[in-house]
Amino acid sequence: MSNNRKFTRRQTLKLIGFGAAGAALAACAAPPSAAPAAPAESKPAEQPAAGGGKLEIFSWWTSGGEVEALEALYKLYREKYPNVEIINAALAGGAGQGGNMKAVLETRMIGGDPPDSFQVHLGQELIGSHVKAGRMEELSELYASEGWNDVFPKGLIELASYEGKPYSVPVNIHRSNVMWYNVKHLADAGMEKPPATWDEWFAYAEKLKAKGIGALAVAGADPNFSAHVFENILVATLGPDKYLGLFNGQTKWDDAGVKEAMGLLLKTHEYAQDGYQSVAWGDINEVMTSGKASTMIMGDWTHGLFLSAGFKDYHWAPAPNTNGVFVALSDSFGLPKGAKNRENVINWLKLCGSREGQDAFNPIKGSIPARTDPDLSKYDDYLKETIEAFKTNTIVGSIQHGAAAPQGFVNDYDTVVSTLLASKDVEAAARQLVDAANAAGLSG
Ligand code: GAL
């Protein structure tokens, strides 16, 4: 199990490459040039006049917190550009069925009918799926004119960049290794503090079992949910350095720590809430707010969802054995080549990257701003704590949320976790992950 290491700011920046991207992106860390944006071969001949036309924004933000946060950005945009009609093309499903959104997006991108802008995770999801395919405009000029090279952390700019040029604008940073817990359940069980290790968590889970309460909220109808839990257990059993090694061949996917994590994952699911197999990711919050389960290992969009639902009986702690590590991901927006309303998109990106936009969006979304100069008075205790943690913790990238590994690997990883939960065959799952890593070129 990892210990509770503290890292200096310098170390944090060194590790900020969010995993797989780290080494490769460090090599292209040269400041983006101020060259004009690459000409979009497929740019439509006629662009709507400034201040008019449409703006189609594609995302999977349809849940509480997400909708309101996006709406806060739209409101600011409408105030600035009242003649632009915003088309909110959001597809329901969250990160689980984000797969659906991604499939539709892929079809549209390949078919030359891109949305004007779309939600995309910084890191491998952006670069591997869209930039390398030559479907995005580079944004060096915008970064320079908006001063973003000075206000986004260098590591984040690297994650947005390919061959030294940025291709997307980060709107936030989410932490994915959070354990959300029901404070009343904890107090009723006579616990003074939340479980900090998996050993403590299982002891708590036994107490809850005796009361008929699930220890872990699980959306079993959507296996990607458990894959999210699994990456957090991987960080716990491997520690941050070995976890990062999974993406460059330094750590093998059949390492003893990976197998230990699989065993723990299987054991956690013995303590899931009743009927968990039929719960979809989009409905998981009700499991927590109704008290059917006591803890949930999930990213901090949960904070936004709980706020939106008016749920108050909760608090948070790092996922067990991950104290001192910040598993990160970042939502961003970019400019696809051939966007029908290019000028409107550029204004959208300016807003997404602005202090005003980030301070309107993030306090509702449950994420911290990508910018380093927020108006802290707008952020609540959870977010202030998380802004601090981001400065001091070791940063690693999330697999499930696109930062650490390419989408092809994420798909395989999800399938393996799903198969593991059914077969309980740890050896087979480890072999499958080794194969998936080889196929994705993660083996060094
Ligand atoms: C993540 C995304 C978050 C939130 C979450 C919901 O991948 O980055 O913003 O949408 O999915 O499941």
Side-chain angles (χ1 to χ4, degrees), residues 26-27 55 91 105 125 134-135 152 154 179 197 210-211 220 247 251 260 269 317 336 340 377 390 415-416 426:
L55 175 71
L91 279 186
L105 179 65
E125 186 179 308
R135 300 196 191 110
F152 292 143
K154 185 165 166 276
M179 180 180 73
T197 65
K211 298 178 183 200
F247 311 105
T251 307
E260 184 190 354
H269 281 51
K340 293 177 197 69
S377 70
F390 188 73
T415 306
V416 173
V426 167

mmCIF file of all heavy atoms in Angstrom, residues 26-27 55 91 105 125 134-135 152 154 179 197 210-211 220 247 251 260 269 317 336 340 377 390 415-416 426:
data_model
loop_
_atom_site.group_PDB
_atom_site.id
_atom_site.type_symbol
_atom_site.label_atom_id
_atom_site.label_comp_id
_atom_site.label_asym_id
_atom_site.label_seq_id
_atom_site.Cartn_x
_atom_site.Cartn_y
_atom_site.Cartn_z
ATOM 1 N N ALA A 26 6.794 16.046 -21.638
ATOM 2 C CA ALA A 26 7.900 16.831 -21.100
ATOM 3 C C ALA A 26 8.842 17.204 -22.237
ATOM 4 O O ALA A 26 9.421 18.281 -22.269
ATOM 5 C CB ALA A 26 8.636 16.049 -20.037
ATOM 6 N N ALA A 27 8.951 16.298 -23.196
ATOM 7 C CA ALA A 27 9.854 16.535 -24.317
ATOM 8 C C ALA A 27 9.353 17.657 -25.219
ATOM 9 O O ALA A 27 10.132 18.275 -25.927
ATOM 10 C CB ALA A 27 10.007 15.264 -25.130
ATOM 11 N N LEU A 55 -23.816 28.391 -32.065
ATOM 12 C CA LEU A 55 -22.670 27.802 -31.381
ATOM 13 C C LEU A 55 -23.143 26.472 -30.810
ATOM 14 O O LEU A 55 -23.927 26.443 -29.858
ATOM 15 C CB LEU A 55 -22.187 28.722 -30.243
ATOM 16 C CG LEU A 55 -21.072 28.147 -29.374
ATOM 17 C CD1 LEU A 55 -19.749 28.079 -30.145
ATOM 18 C CD2 LEU A 55 -20.877 28.983 -28.104
ATOM 19 N N LEU A 91 -25.360 14.809 -24.501
ATOM 20 C CA LEU A 91 -25.908 13.449 -24.498
ATOM 21 C C LEU A 91 -25.778 12.882 -23.097
ATOM 22 O O LEU A 91 -24.698 12.899 -22.510
ATOM 23 C CB LEU A 91 -25.100 12.553 -25.440
ATOM 24 C CG LEU A 91 -25.390 12.613 -26.939
ATOM 25 C CD1 LEU A 91 -24.569 11.546 -27.642
ATOM 26 C CD2 LEU A 91 -26.869 12.390 -27.211
ATOM 27 N N LEU A 105 -19.513 11.499 -31.487
ATOM 28 C CA LEU A 105 -18.528 12.527 -31.830
ATOM 29 C C LEU A 105 -17.579 12.033 -32.918
ATOM 30 O O LEU A 105 -17.321 12.730 -33.909
ATOM 31 C CB LEU A 105 -17.737 12.897 -30.565
ATOM 32 C CG LEU A 105 -16.645 13.942 -30.719
ATOM 33 C CD1 LEU A 105 -17.246 15.296 -31.104
ATOM 34 C CD2 LEU A 105 -15.855 14.093 -29.411
ATOM 35 N N GLU A 125 -6.800 11.405 -24.334
ATOM 36 C CA GLU A 125 -8.095 11.414 -25.043
ATOM 37 C C GLU A 125 -8.095 12.492 -26.132
ATOM 38 O O GLU A 125 -8.507 12.261 -27.266
ATOM 39 C CB GLU A 125 -9.215 11.656 -24.033
ATOM 40 C CG GLU A 125 -10.613 11.540 -24.609
ATOM 41 C CD GLU A 125 -11.666 11.766 -23.529
ATOM 42 O OE1 GLU A 125 -11.606 11.110 -22.460
ATOM 43 O OE2 GLU A 125 -12.545 12.616 -23.735
ATOM 44 N N GLY A 134 -5.366 14.834 -36.878
ATOM 45 C CA GLY A 134 -5.338 16.071 -37.679
ATOM 46 C C GLY A 134 -6.684 16.763 -37.762
ATOM 47 O O GLY A 134 -6.950 17.500 -38.706
ATOM 48 N N ARG A 135 -7.515 16.579 -36.717
ATOM 49 C CA ARG A 135 -8.873 17.141 -36.816
ATOM 50 C C ARG A 135 -9.092 18.383 -35.965
ATOM 51 O O ARG A 135 -10.211 18.878 -35.890
ATOM 52 C CB ARG A 135 -9.904 16.074 -36.414
ATOM 53 C CG ARG A 135 -9.849 14.842 -37.289
ATOM 54 C CD ARG A 135 -11.093 13.992 -37.155
ATOM 55 N NE ARG A 135 -10.852 12.718 -37.804
ATOM 56 C CZ ARG A 135 -10.726 11.567 -37.160
ATOM 57 N NH1 ARG A 135 -10.860 11.508 -35.855
ATOM 58 N NH2 ARG A 135 -10.466 10.456 -37.824
ATOM 59 N N PHE A 152 -2.126 29.114 -16.774
ATOM 60 C CA PHE A 152 -2.375 27.672 -16.640
ATOM 61 C C PHE A 152 -1.069 27.020 -16.183
ATOM 62 O O PHE A 152 0.009 27.377 -16.680
ATOM 63 C CB PHE A 152 -2.784 27.040 -17.975
ATOM 64 C CG PHE A 152 -4.134 27.465 -18.491
ATOM 65 C CD1 PHE A 152 -4.336 27.660 -19.850
ATOM 66 C CD2 PHE A 152 -5.199 27.646 -17.625
ATOM 67 C CE1 PHE A 152 -5.585 28.043 -20.338
ATOM 68 C CE2 PHE A 152 -6.450 28.028 -18.098
ATOM 69 C CZ PHE A 152 -6.639 28.231 -19.455
ATOM 70 N N LYS A 154 2.090 24.779 -16.084
ATOM 71 C CA LYS A 154 2.851 24.291 -17.242
ATOM 72 C C LYS A 154 2.471 22.847 -17.597
ATOM 73 O O LYS A 154 2.297 22.502 -18.772
ATOM 74 C CB LYS A 154 4.346 24.386 -16.892
ATOM 75 C CG LYS A 154 5.285 24.038 -18.003
ATOM 76 C CD LYS A 154 6.701 24.536 -17.633
ATOM 77 C CE LYS A 154 7.744 23.919 -18.553
ATOM 78 N NZ LYS A 154 8.159 22.584 -18.080
ATOM 79 N N MET A 179 -13.151 9.751 -1.665
ATOM 80 C CA MET A 179 -14.167 8.896 -1.036
ATOM 81 C C MET A 179 -15.210 9.813 -0.395
ATOM 82 O O MET A 179 -14.910 10.584 0.522
ATOM 83 C CB MET A 179 -13.546 8.002 0.050
ATOM 84 C CG MET A 179 -14.586 7.095 0.714
ATOM 85 S SD MET A 179 -13.861 6.037 1.994
ATOM 86 C CE MET A 179 -13.581 7.241 3.292
ATOM 87 N N THR A 197 -7.506 3.709 5.168
ATOM 88 C CA THR A 197 -6.831 2.606 4.467
ATOM 89 C C THR A 197 -7.889 1.596 4.067
ATOM 90 O O THR A 197 -9.016 1.586 4.614
ATOM 91 C CB THR A 197 -5.817 1.889 5.385
ATOM 92 O OG1 THR A 197 -6.565 1.256 6.448
ATOM 93 C CG2 THR A 197 -4.799 2.851 5.970
ATOM 94 N N ALA A 210 -23.746 -5.401 9.018
ATOM 95 C CA ALA A 210 -24.600 -5.837 10.128
ATOM 96 C C ALA A 210 -25.875 -4.999 10.203
ATOM 97 O O ALA A 210 -26.896 -5.437 10.743
ATOM 98 C CB ALA A 210 -23.806 -5.728 11.432
ATOM 99 N N LYS A 211 -25.810 -3.786 9.664
ATOM 100 C CA LYS A 211 -26.999 -2.906 9.697
ATOM 101 C C LYS A 211 -27.766 -2.919 8.382
ATOM 102 O O LYS A 211 -28.695 -2.129 8.177
ATOM 103 C CB LYS A 211 -26.551 -1.458 9.952
ATOM 104 C CG LYS A 211 -25.855 -1.248 11.254
ATOM 105 C CD LYS A 211 -25.419 0.206 11.343
ATOM 106 C CE LYS A 211 -24.657 0.389 12.631
ATOM 107 N NZ LYS A 211 -24.559 1.721 13.087
ATOM 108 N N GLY A 220 -23.613 -0.924 -11.012
ATOM 109 C CA GLY A 220 -23.193 -2.168 -11.664
ATOM 110 C C GLY A 220 -23.693 -2.338 -13.086
ATOM 111 O O GLY A 220 -23.167 -3.159 -13.842
ATOM 112 N N PHE A 247 2.142 3.154 -17.523
ATOM 113 C CA PHE A 247 1.904 3.763 -18.833
ATOM 114 C C PHE A 247 3.173 3.941 -19.670
ATOM 115 O O PHE A 247 3.125 4.491 -20.756
ATOM 116 C CB PHE A 247 1.171 5.104 -18.644
ATOM 117 C CG PHE A 247 -0.012 4.947 -17.729
ATOM 118 C CD1 PHE A 247 0.030 5.412 -16.424
ATOM 119 C CD2 PHE A 247 -1.130 4.246 -18.156
ATOM 120 C CE1 PHE A 247 -1.034 5.207 -15.568
ATOM 121 C CE2 PHE A 247 -2.202 4.030 -17.308
ATOM 122 C CZ PHE A 247 -2.152 4.520 -16.003
ATOM 123 N N THR A 251 6.153 -0.471 -15.077
ATOM 124 C CA THR A 251 5.373 -1.382 -14.235
ATOM 125 C C THR A 251 4.545 -2.258 -15.158
ATOM 126 O O THR A 251 3.873 -1.744 -16.059
ATOM 127 C CB THR A 251 4.423 -0.597 -13.298
ATOM 128 O OG1 THR A 251 5.179 0.375 -12.581
ATOM 129 C CG2 THR A 251 3.710 -1.519 -12.322
ATOM 130 N N GLU A 260 -3.100 -7.525 -6.639
ATOM 131 C CA GLU A 260 -3.636 -7.212 -5.300
ATOM 132 C C GLU A 260 -4.844 -6.276 -5.440
ATOM 133 O O GLU A 260 -5.871 -6.444 -4.776
ATOM 134 C CB GLU A 260 -2.545 -6.559 -4.435
ATOM 135 C CG GLU A 260 -2.998 -6.306 -3.009
ATOM 136 C CD GLU A 260 -2.024 -5.441 -2.196
ATOM 137 O OE1 GLU A 260 -0.915 -5.114 -2.688
ATOM 138 O OE2 GLU A 260 -2.399 -5.071 -1.071
ATOM 139 N N HIS A 269 -16.756 -5.250 -3.847
ATOM 140 C CA HIS A 269 -18.077 -5.437 -4.441
ATOM 141 C C HIS A 269 -18.961 -6.392 -3.627
ATOM 142 O O HIS A 269 -20.166 -6.437 -3.826
ATOM 143 C CB HIS A 269 -17.942 -5.886 -5.905
ATOM 144 C CG HIS A 269 -17.633 -4.714 -6.815
ATOM 145 N ND1 HIS A 269 -16.614 -3.828 -6.555
ATOM 146 C CD2 HIS A 269 -18.246 -4.268 -7.953
ATOM 147 C CE1 HIS A 269 -16.596 -2.894 -7.496
ATOM 148 N NE2 HIS A 269 -17.568 -3.140 -8.350
ATOM 149 N N ALA A 317 -12.938 12.381 1.841
ATOM 150 C CA ALA A 317 -11.557 12.054 2.244
ATOM 151 C C ALA A 317 -10.909 11.447 1.008
ATOM 152 O O ALA A 317 -11.615 11.005 0.091
ATOM 153 C CB ALA A 317 -11.575 11.035 3.385
ATOM 154 N N PRO A 336 -12.510 22.281 -33.475
ATOM 155 C CA PRO A 336 -12.321 21.306 -34.554
ATOM 156 C C PRO A 336 -12.136 22.006 -35.901
ATOM 157 O O PRO A 336 -12.759 23.050 -36.142
ATOM 158 C CB PRO A 336 -13.635 20.511 -34.567
ATOM 159 C CG PRO A 336 -14.419 20.952 -33.390
ATOM 160 C CD PRO A 336 -13.861 22.255 -32.919
ATOM 161 N N LYS A 340 -18.403 25.038 -37.967
ATOM 162 C CA LYS A 340 -19.242 25.905 -38.813
ATOM 163 C C LYS A 340 -19.264 27.344 -38.314
ATOM 164 O O LYS A 340 -19.548 28.261 -39.082
ATOM 165 C CB LYS A 340 -20.665 25.334 -38.859
ATOM 166 C CG LYS A 340 -20.739 24.004 -39.570
ATOM 167 C CD LYS A 340 -22.151 23.428 -39.526
ATOM 168 C CE LYS A 340 -22.136 21.943 -39.860
ATOM 169 N NZ LYS A 340 -21.492 21.117 -38.804
ATOM 170 N N SER A 377 -12.760 33.548 -2.972
ATOM 171 C CA SER A 377 -13.986 33.766 -2.181
ATOM 172 C C SER A 377 -15.175 33.046 -2.822
ATOM 173 O O SER A 377 -16.198 32.839 -2.183
ATOM 174 C CB SER A 377 -14.279 35.265 -2.065
ATOM 175 O OG SER A 377 -14.673 35.768 -3.331
ATOM 176 N N PHE A 390 -3.977 20.196 -4.750
ATOM 177 C CA PHE A 390 -3.380 20.161 -6.096
ATOM 178 C C PHE A 390 -1.979 20.759 -6.093
ATOM 179 O O PHE A 390 -1.116 20.360 -6.866
ATOM 180 C CB PHE A 390 -4.287 20.892 -7.100
ATOM 181 C CG PHE A 390 -3.833 20.715 -8.526
ATOM 182 C CD1 PHE A 390 -4.012 19.503 -9.177
ATOM 183 C CD2 PHE A 390 -3.202 21.746 -9.209
ATOM 184 C CE1 PHE A 390 -3.576 19.324 -10.486
ATOM 185 C CE2 PHE A 390 -2.762 21.577 -10.520
ATOM 186 C CZ PHE A 390 -2.951 20.358 -11.163
ATOM 187 N N THR A 415 -13.339 -3.268 -20.384
ATOM 188 C CA THR A 415 -13.837 -4.616 -20.663
ATOM 189 C C THR A 415 -13.214 -5.626 -19.704
ATOM 190 O O THR A 415 -13.897 -6.522 -19.190
ATOM 191 C CB THR A 415 -13.496 -5.017 -22.126
ATOM 192 O OG1 THR A 415 -14.003 -4.000 -22.976
ATOM 193 C CG2 THR A 415 -14.097 -6.351 -22.502
ATOM 194 N N VAL A 416 -11.918 -5.466 -19.456
ATOM 195 C CA VAL A 416 -11.238 -6.418 -18.553
ATOM 196 C C VAL A 416 -11.833 -6.330 -17.144
ATOM 197 O O VAL A 416 -12.106 -7.359 -16.511
ATOM 198 C CB VAL A 416 -9.710 -6.154 -18.517
ATOM 199 C CG1 VAL A 416 -9.043 -7.015 -17.460
ATOM 200 C CG2 VAL A 416 -9.092 -6.410 -19.883
ATOM 201 N N VAL A 426 -8.436 -13.429 -11.569
ATOM 202 C CA VAL A 426 -7.417 -12.370 -11.500
ATOM 203 C C VAL A 426 -6.279 -12.635 -12.495
ATOM 204 O O VAL A 426 -5.811 -11.713 -13.176
ATOM 205 C CB VAL A 426 -6.877 -12.279 -10.046
ATOM 206 C CG1 VAL A 426 -5.619 -11.440 -9.971
ATOM 207 C CG2 VAL A 426 -7.954 -11.715 -9.125
#
